[in-house]
Amino acid sequence: MADTKAMFAIPQLHWMQRADLGIASFFLCVIIMLVMPLPPVFIDLSIALNLTLAVMVILTVTYVVKATEFSVFPSLLLVATLFRLAIEVATCKLILGGRGEEIGIVKTFGSFVVGDNIVVGIIVFIILTVIQLLVIVRGTIRVSEVAARFTLDAMPGRQMAVDADLNAGYITEKEASEKRTEIRREADFYGSMDGATKFVQGDVIAGIVITVINIIAGLGIGVFMRGEPIGVAFGTYTTYTVGAALAAQIPAFLVSVATGLLVSRTASDHNLGTDIVQQMTSSPKILWFATGILAFFMFTPVPKVPLFLLMCGMGALAYVMTGALKISQQKASEEKKQDERERLKKPESVAELLQMDQMELEVGYGLIPLIDPEQGGDLIDRVTTIRWQLALDLGIIVPPIRIRDNIQLRPNGYSIKIRGLKVGKGELKVDKFLAMGQGNQAESIKGEPTKDPVFGVTAYWIDASEREKAEAQGYTVADSLSIVATHVTALIRENACDLLGRQEVQTLVETLKQNYPAVVNELIPAVLSLGELQKVLHCLLAEGVSIRDLLTILETLADWAPRTKDIIFLSEKVRQSLARHINQQYQSEDGFLSVITIDPQLEERIAASIKTGSEGEQLILEPDLSQRILASIQEIVRSTAKQRPVILCTSRIRRHVKILLLRILPTIGVISYNEIGSDAQVRAVGTVAI
């Protein structure tokens, strides 16, 4: 394959850079050949060029590895057909004009093939034409039709497979782009070949018609216009006509064979000659069997010398291939054993355990430009970046996100699913921008009112011309691609605990065990089961706490799990061990941790309302008191939103306060005093009191 690429990657010479002028001049010459009489020398030169071109085409086809490497072939086929028909027309004019003997190549072909028997020459021409038309051309047309249909039908699936490999991290964006280009080129090539093969069929039929016309018209001109005897006229014009037909049909025959070879080529890493030799001689049994058949024919009246030579050659080849096959099998067996030994030495691969389509992003056909790189869309790249970033932030391997179009959605709509359930949706305008926030109310912007699909805030769809004005007024402006990416990121963070199953936990544990086997062996499964560890990790992820520091989590559980299996208690102890991580998560840009405290008397009242039942601890507050607490927290959060405050309370009530706030403030953090790091800089911004 490398040799073939090198063959097509020759340096561009100076005269080759002006090939467009040469092609234009060529078509001009073809037109001249069709309408103007030309000297016989020029016709000889054209016939020789036509034969040379046919030889170059069939040799090029035998050396290509993939059909798409000769992508210019459909157009070249039309050019060659047009040139050949122009030669036949120009030759016809000279033959009917009585100058056929002046065309050297035509005269040579006619004299050599026809000889002393015109009937033999005609029969040879008919047989050659019938073989070309009924065998090669018909088969080529059928193969090209089937190849075009199957290639076009398989194109969407192959593109989706490339996208899946990219999202899974198997290939890079550059490799994915190359694969998409190759798929598109292959579809274009076979689609063009489906029509181009009709040129070959038409060329053969036209050659037959021109030959018949030449014979009939030549006979009429010779007998009635020139007064030649009918036998002389028939012999003269038939000889030159058959010669001209053969001079045209032999190159046409070569091009037809080249067309059939090209459209029938299957996926391979080698050229045609290498594949034929390798596959025909790959099995020594076949060679020995062929040798035996030749030996059997030695006992028949068939001439012995040719059979003996072929039998010796085939037997020698079978003997050599048998020895080579044994060596190859021994080498393969040794390599297999070595690979098996290496596999047993290495730990089990964990990446393969996570390959499942747990997330899907479906888009309407109007949003396809966001996905198609040729239209400027890089959503696939953005999704890959999101998976990497969230893996670093949350500590879990985010599953591949399958991106596909769905005609059941609205044209500009999209839907996000997790394990088959819809968790988010929205509608976009690809040619507009979304302005979000309050902005400067003194001045209005021109836009279509809507709701931000991610956060549900009031927003406006604006034109690109309004973008700078909106940003100057304090609006946050985003394009459609950023909105989808932000929505996917938010939903993954929100549903991170649902994406972490037992198998994923097993993967994380096995990965940690490679470097810290003592910690894992002490805890799992002797103290905690995999399911209990999963529940602890779920509790952390449900409140947005990263589990990337899995070593600290397992060490903390190893300290406390022997005393109790209470998942809530263990989760709180793990949170305290991850205090620095939690503090860093909620710190503002100036490094301070802005907290909203709860009045001690209110904390005591909330703690007294915690009741223990069969389902564990539950907070039972009077409805009026709950509403007053929520209203107070909402008011403080609204006035201090820019400082990103968190609720600070005792560890006894922390979890229950978080549950209480889930309905109205699901994203606000709630931490306990034990989760404040020793080096944290705390700034109180309000106190909840009744």
Side-chain angles (χ1 to χ4, degrees):
M1 182 174 182
D3 295 338
T4 305
K5 290 184 176 179
M7 179 179 69
F8 284 92
I10 58 176
Q12 292 291 324
L13 302 179
H14 178 71
W15 63 271
M16 294 179 65
Q17 298 175 359
R18 308 303 300 173
D20 53 342
L21 296 179
I23 294 296
S25 302
F26 172 81
F27 284 111
L28 180 61
C29 293
V30 169
I31 295 174
I32 294 174
M33 293 172 66
L34 291 172
V35 299
M36 294 181 61
L38 298 173
V41 176
F42 186 86
I43 300 299
D44 281 336
L45 179 61
S46 299
I47 295 174
L49 178 60
N50 184 33
L51 182 59
T52 304
L53 179 63
V55 173
M56 290 180 62
V57 168
I58 195 169
L59 290 178
T60 302
V61 169
T62 58
Y63 277 99
V64 298
V65 175
K66 296 184 295 185
T68 52
E69 292 179 357
F70 202 6
S71 59
V72 75
F73 186 81
S75 300
L76 180 61
L77 193 61
L78 174 59
V79 172
T81 302
L82 181 61
F83 183 49
R84 190 160 45 251
L85 292 175
I87 293 174
E88 292 180 8
V89 172
T91 306
C92 175
K93 288 187 289 186
L94 287 178
I95 292 174
L96 296 180
R99 303 177 61 186
E101 63 179 0
E102 298 179 19
I103 309 175
I105 295 180
V106 170
K107 182 179 179 180
T108 302
F109 268 94
S111 302
F112 181 77
V113 176
V114 175
D116 297 329
N117 196 330
I118 298 176
V119 177
V120 173
I122 295 176
I123 292 175
V124 170
F125 170 75
I126 293 174
I127 292 175
L128 182 63
T129 305
V130 168
I131 293 174
Q132 182 178 357
L133 181 61
L134 299 183
V135 180
I136 299 176
V137 174
R138 179 174 293 182
T140 299
I141 292 176
R142 179 57 180 166
V143 171
S144 64
E145 290 174 349
V146 174
R149 184 172 73 249
F150 279 92
T151 301
L152 293 175
D153 290 345
M155 186 176 177
R158 295 175 64 186
Q159 290 179 334
M160 292 176 63
V162 172
D163 295 339
D165 290 344
L166 177 63
N167 291 334
Y170 295 147
I171 58 177
T172 63
E173 176 56 28
K174 182 179 179 181
E175 292 173 337
S177 178
E178 292 175 352
K179 288 180 178 292
R180 295 191 196 99
T181 302
E182 181 63 25
I183 293 172
R184 186 179 66 256
R185 289 181 59 192
E186 187 173 342
D188 293 341
F189 175 81
Y190 283 107
S192 300
M193 284 301 300
D194 187 20
T197 50
K198 303 299 190 297
F199 299 148
V200 180
Q201 183 181 27
D203 182 26
V204 177
I205 296 174
I208 297 174
V209 173
I210 292 173
T211 302
V212 173
I213 291 176
N214 273 354
I215 294 175
I216 296 174
L219 187 61
I221 291 174
V223 174
F224 297 107
M225 296 181 63
R226 298 182 179 176
E228 297 176 352
I230 187 170
V232 176
F234 181 79
T236 302
Y237 288 98
T238 301
T239 300
Y240 296 145
T241 299
V242 172
L246 290 175
Q249 286 304 315
I250 290 177
F253 183 86
L254 294 178
V255 173
S256 300
V257 173
T259 306
L261 290 174
L262 193 62
V263 297
S264 60
R265 286 284 285 163
T266 57
S268 174
D269 294 329
H270 307 285
N271 57 48
L272 179 63
T274 303
D275 281 342
I276 290 177
V277 173
Q278 287 183 350
Q279 296 178 26
M280 289 290 291
T281 61
S282 60
S283 177
K285 293 180 180 180
I286 297 176
L287 299 176
W288 283 118
F289 190 79
T291 303
I293 292 177
L294 292 174
F296 171 79
F297 278 108
M298 289 288 292
F299 298 97
T300 65
V302 178
K304 304 297 187 296
V305 176
L307 289 177
F308 180 79
L309 294 177
L310 288 176
M311 184 183 67
C312 292
M314 194 67 69
L317 182 60
Y319 178 81
V320 172
M321 293 304 300
T322 301
L325 182 62
K326 290 182 179 179
I327 296 175
S328 176
Q329 290 176 346
Q330 292 176 357
K331 184 177 180 181
S333 178
E334 293 175 358
E335 290 178 352
K336 184 177 180 180
K337 293 180 180 179
Q338 181 65 25
D339 292 340
E340 184 67 18
R341 289 193 293 267
E342 293 295 330
R343 188 186 66 81
L344 294 175
K345 293 179 181 179
K346 294 181 179 180
E348 184 179 1
S349 174
V350 297
E352 296 179 358
L353 301 178
L354 300 176
Q355 303 306 319
M356 56 183 298
D357 295 333
Q358 298 189 58
M359 293 196 64
E360 296 176 318
L361 172 59
E362 298 179 343
V363 299
Y365 65 84
L367 301 183
I368 291 180
L370 298 179
I371 305 173
D372 189 0
E374 296 184 358
Q375 303 183 49
D378 60 345
L379 180 59
I380 297 176
D381 292 342
R382 191 74 66 91
V383 167
T384 303
T385 304
I386 290 172
R387 293 180 61 232
W388 292 345
Q389 186 60 47
L390 289 177
L392 295 175
D393 293 345
L394 299 178
I396 64 174
I397 300 178
V398 180
I401 302 175
R402 175 67 62 86
I403 303 176
R404 59 186 178 188
D405 58 333
N406 187 347
I407 60 175
Q408 296 180 349
L409 294 175
R410 298 170 69 93
N412 293 323
Y414 68 90
S415 172
I416 303 172
K417 295 181 179 180
I418 293 181
R419 294 183 177 177
L421 299 177
K422 185 184 297 184
V423 295
K425 63 179 182 178
E427 287 199 29
L428 306 172
K429 295 183 182 295
V430 179
D431 57 341
K432 294 183 180 294
F433 291 86
L434 189 66
M436 300 165 286
Q438 298 298 325
N440 184 5
Q441 300 298 325
E443 298 183 23
S444 61
I445 58 174
K446 298 179 181 179
E448 177 184 344
T450 184
K451 290 287 186 180
D452 171 30
V454 183
F455 305 106
V457 300
T458 302
Y460 301 90
W461 287 112
I462 62 174
D463 295 328
S465 58
E466 292 284 321
R467 179 176 183 178
E468 294 185 1
K469 179 180 178 182
E471 291 176 343
Q473 294 181 21
Y475 288 96
T476 300
V477 181
D479 58 7
S480 298
L481 189 62
S482 300
I483 295 171
V484 176
T486 303
H487 204 173
V488 171
T489 303
L491 289 175
I492 292 176
R493 290 185 181 277
E494 182 180 340
N495 298 275
C497 58
D498 295 330
L499 298 174
L500 187 70
R502 277 180 168 80
Q503 189 62 62
E504 287 75 17
V505 174
Q506 176 69 33
T507 300
L508 296 176
V509 171
E510 290 294 336
T511 304
L512 182 68
K513 188 177 180 179
Q514 296 178 14
N515 297 321
Y516 302 96
V519 178
V520 176
N521 293 334
E522 179 185 352
L523 180 65
I524 299 174
V527 180
L528 279 183
S529 67
L530 201 64
E532 291 169 331
L533 174 60
Q534 179 195 11
K535 292 178 182 179
V536 173
L537 299 180
H538 275 194
C539 291
L540 298 174
L541 290 172
E543 295 192 40
V545 178
S546 172
I547 62 171
R548 187 181 180 189
D549 189 2
L550 190 60
L551 176 62
T552 299
I553 295 174
L554 295 188
E555 287 181 337
T556 304
L557 292 175
D559 292 337
W560 293 96
R563 308 180 190 182
T564 178
K565 296 297 189 294
D566 187 344
I567 300 300
I568 303 303
F569 176 82
L570 295 176
S571 300
E572 294 298 321
K573 291 299 181 182
V574 170
R575 287 180 60 93
Q576 295 172 18
S577 300
L578 298 175
R580 290 188 176 181
H581 297 280
I582 296 175
N583 295 165
Q584 186 176 5
Q585 178 181 348
Y586 294 117
Q587 278 180 354
S588 58
E589 295 181 357
D590 57 3
F592 280 86
L593 186 65
S594 301
V595 300
I596 300 174
T597 59
I598 299 179
D599 183 78
Q601 294 183 357
L602 181 58
E603 283 190 342
E604 292 179 1
R605 191 169 178 181
I606 294 174
S609 302
I610 298 175
K611 306 300 181 182
T612 303
S614 58
E615 298 182 359
E617 293 184 345
Q618 293 184 347
L619 178 63
I620 303 176
L621 285 176
E622 299 88 346
D624 180 63
L625 179 59
S626 298
Q627 293 298 326
R628 291 162 63 188
I629 293 174
L630 294 176
S632 177
I633 294 176
Q634 279 184 295
E635 181 63 28
I636 299 175
V637 170
R638 188 180 300 110
S639 61
T640 60
K642 294 184 178 181
Q643 302 180 46
R644 298 175 57 200
V646 295
I647 307 297
L648 180 63
C649 58
T650 61
S651 58
R652 179 76 177 88
I653 67 172
R654 190 208 67 80
R655 172 175 168 271
H656 300 286
V657 173
K658 177 63 179 179
I659 296 175
L660 183 65
L661 293 173
L662 282 178
R663 292 176 298 169
I664 59 171
L665 295 172
T667 60
I668 191 170
V670 180
I671 63 176
S672 68
Y673 292 102
N674 295 333
E675 296 170 13
I676 300 292
S678 58
D679 56 346
Q681 302 182 61
V682 181
R683 176 173 55 200
V685 295
T687 301
V688 180
I690 302 301

